[in-house]
Amino acid sequence: MTRRLLIVHSAGDFREAWRLREQSGGEVYYGHSYILDELARMAATFDEAGYLAGSAPVYDERLPSGARVLGAGADPYADPAPTLAAMARFAPTHLIVHGPIAPLLRWGLQNQLEVGCVLADSFHIDPVRRWLRHRGLPRLLNDPGITLVGNHGVNAARGLVDLGVRPDKVIAWDFPHARSPADFAPRQLGPAGPRRLFYAGLIVRSKGVGELIRAVARLKPTRDVRVSIAGAGRVDAYRNLARRLGVADRVEFLGLVPNTQVLEHMRQADAVVVPSRHAFPEGLPLTLYEALTSRTPLIASDHPMFRGHLRDGESALVFPAGNARALAAAIERLFDDAALYERLSRHAADAWQRMQCPVKWGTMIERWTRGDPSDLAWLRSHALDAGEPQ
């Protein structure tokens, strides 16, 4: 029997990711090299294995590994038709939809495929917005025809259950992490001088970039705090905000930084800030892992996806999301207390360990596609109703 696996995501460009790795050995987004390696393994066991990114330019290419990478040219959330057409041309027998993209999932069910849904999304948002955006998702994911449901991290997986998805179907997954806090010694607060913050991520309102810049402006009369911002998005808007607040000389925009360099930037900074607002659909942001790995003290918002992982005053400083005044106070608190600074750096390893998830993306998909009784039992043993991951 022919077996054809297609993984579909709204974003990502794996043709470009492969080219970048061939040219430099690096990656812009963490996990892309890992996914390319997993696709190569899948290509060896399927007649076809492909990764389709809806928003990527239109292409269909075969990599030297044998895996196919495809682009549909349109965001499937806004316009699913081009992605659906590319899916039909590929003619999969096994379909993984990487995101809560209902039209793609329904297409798989209508065509009686083996269907899985793998997410990296938070559903802890305003209840009205959540109902409007996802009111049909629990019923769809509970359909017996969708036999794999995963979300990135335990808190995100619990969010699916809170939404109404059966806990016996939901698995918390993660990518493997090659580096850990054990690779670095705990840090101590350096001598007086300009204090440097680092942020990596989308440059948009819901990621808290505005609060970060406003916090730097609040601190300007009393101390020299500077921030380097890595990522893409509304750079011009936030550069203008820094100019209006009089801190253009203290806010540096680095553009997209290869993931292999993010850890180095974090090590050079005095603190890492993850100021996400609750409205941003975080799953389990890799920036948290990287900050804890670097041992550079972390200042983070109280986003629901961080709950249980970070302990205020022990492994991070936690402030109310969306509150620039509270963020500025947390920055002052960190740089006024050398013992606190050292404690956060030392306990980063404990927080990193709490965030570990035993189910890895590639293993989860491999076991699901293989479908032997032992594989199905393994998947079942990692569902949320089987107990929290240890």
Side-chain angles (χ1 to χ4, degrees):
M1 177 181 174
T2 300
R3 300 171 75 243
R4 301 168 63 85
L5 170 67
L6 182 63
I7 302 170
V8 186
H9 201 295
S10 63
D13 185 339
F14 279 87
R15 179 179 66 174
E16 187 59 31
W18 178 81
R19 287 176 178 172
L20 176 62
R21 189 169 72 166
E22 288 297 296
Q23 292 169 0
S24 67
E27 59 183 355
V28 172
Y29 299 103
Y30 182 83
H32 278 194
S33 285
Y34 168 74
I35 289 174
L36 286 170
D37 290 339
E38 291 300 302
L39 282 175
R41 293 201 313 118
M42 294 169 190
T45 60
F46 278 83
D47 295 286
E48 286 281 9
Y51 200 110
L52 167 61
S55 298
V58 177
Y59 60 80
D60 182 347
E61 295 188 10
R62 189 177 302 280
L63 301 180
S65 67
R68 281 168 64 184
V69 289
L70 306 92
D75 180 355
Y77 286 104
D79 180 12
T83 300
L84 289 169
M87 291 163 60
R89 289 192 295 271
F90 190 95
T93 58
H94 295 69
L95 174 67
I96 296 267
V97 177
H98 222 299
I101 316 174
L104 311 190
L105 291 165
R106 293 194 187 100
W107 183 89
L109 292 172
Q110 291 163 2
N111 286 276
Q112 299 183 321
L113 309 181
E114 295 287 343
V115 182
C117 183
V118 176
L119 308 168
D121 296 82
S122 166
F123 299 93
H124 288 86
I125 57 178
D126 174 81
V128 175
R129 290 177 57 210
R130 182 174 62 187
W131 182 83
L132 289 172
R133 187 180 302 176
H134 301 298
R135 59 186 179 276
L137 187 62
R139 182 177 179 182
L140 183 57
L141 295 184
N142 285 332
D143 189 296
I146 296 180
T147 53
L148 174 67
V149 178
N151 210 351
H152 189 197
V154 174
N155 285 345
R158 289 178 186 144
L160 272 180
V161 174
D162 293 342
L163 194 66
V165 183
R166 287 169 33 197
D168 62 302
K169 295 193 74 169
V170 180
I171 296 172
W173 65 271
D174 195 8
F175 291 120
H177 299 277
R179 307 199 72 176
S180 79
D183 297 325
F184 300 98
R187 297 185 57 177
Q188 295 182 341
L189 187 63
R195 299 301 185 187
R196 302 186 180 277
L197 310 175
F198 180 73
Y199 166 89
L202 284 173
I203 302 175
V204 295
R205 182 173 183 266
S206 57
K207 287 288 277 185
V209 177
E211 286 82 67
L212 178 55
I213 295 172
R214 289 184 177 92
V216 171
R218 282 183 170 276
L219 294 170
K220 182 179 179 180
T222 58
R223 62 184 68 214
D224 188 357
V225 175
R226 308 185 177 206
V227 59
S228 295
I229 297 175
R234 301 187 62 208
V235 175
D236 288 342
Y238 286 103
R239 185 177 280 120
N240 288 336
L241 175 63
R243 188 178 299 116
R244 291 198 307 272
L245 295 175
V247 290
D249 60 331
R250 300 189 180 192
V251 180
E252 177 187 22
F253 293 91
L254 303 175
L256 281 175
V257 172
N259 180 263
T260 49
Q261 297 177 18
V262 167
L263 201 63
E264 179 182 344
H265 281 283
M266 290 180 172
R267 289 287 295 175
Q268 292 172 352
D270 297 299
V272 177
V273 184
V274 184
S276 305
R277 292 187 174 193
H278 292 194
F280 190 83
E282 298 278 17
L284 184 57
L286 294 164
T287 307
L288 284 188
Y289 275 112
E290 292 163 331
L292 295 169
T293 295
S294 74
R295 297 268 193 178
T296 298
L298 171 64
I299 302 173
S301 76
D302 61 353
H303 193 287
M305 292 300 98
F306 308 163
R307 194 170 298 145
H309 299 312
L310 305 178
R311 296 175 180 171
D312 184 43
E314 178 186 311
S315 53
L317 292 184
V318 180
F319 71 96
N323 190 326
R325 184 189 299 272
L327 174 52
I331 295 169
E332 284 191 304
R333 180 185 173 195
L334 177 65
F335 294 142
D336 284 344
D337 190 335
L340 170 66
Y341 190 95
E342 191 275 335
R343 182 166 68 248
L344 298 188
S345 181
R346 179 161 37 87
H347 287 291
D350 299 330
W352 186 91
Q353 191 60 49
R354 283 194 297 271
M355 291 171 63
Q356 297 307 300
C357 181
V359 178
K360 305 308 178 189
W361 183 87
T363 304
M364 176 179 66
I365 293 175
E366 179 184 15
R367 284 186 175 267
W368 174 74
T369 57
R370 197 162 53 207
D372 292 337
S374 61
D375 296 310
L376 298 178
W378 185 89
L379 291 168
R380 180 70 182 81
S381 72
H382 287 92
L384 284 194
D385 76 329
E388 298 294 350
Q390 300 298 312

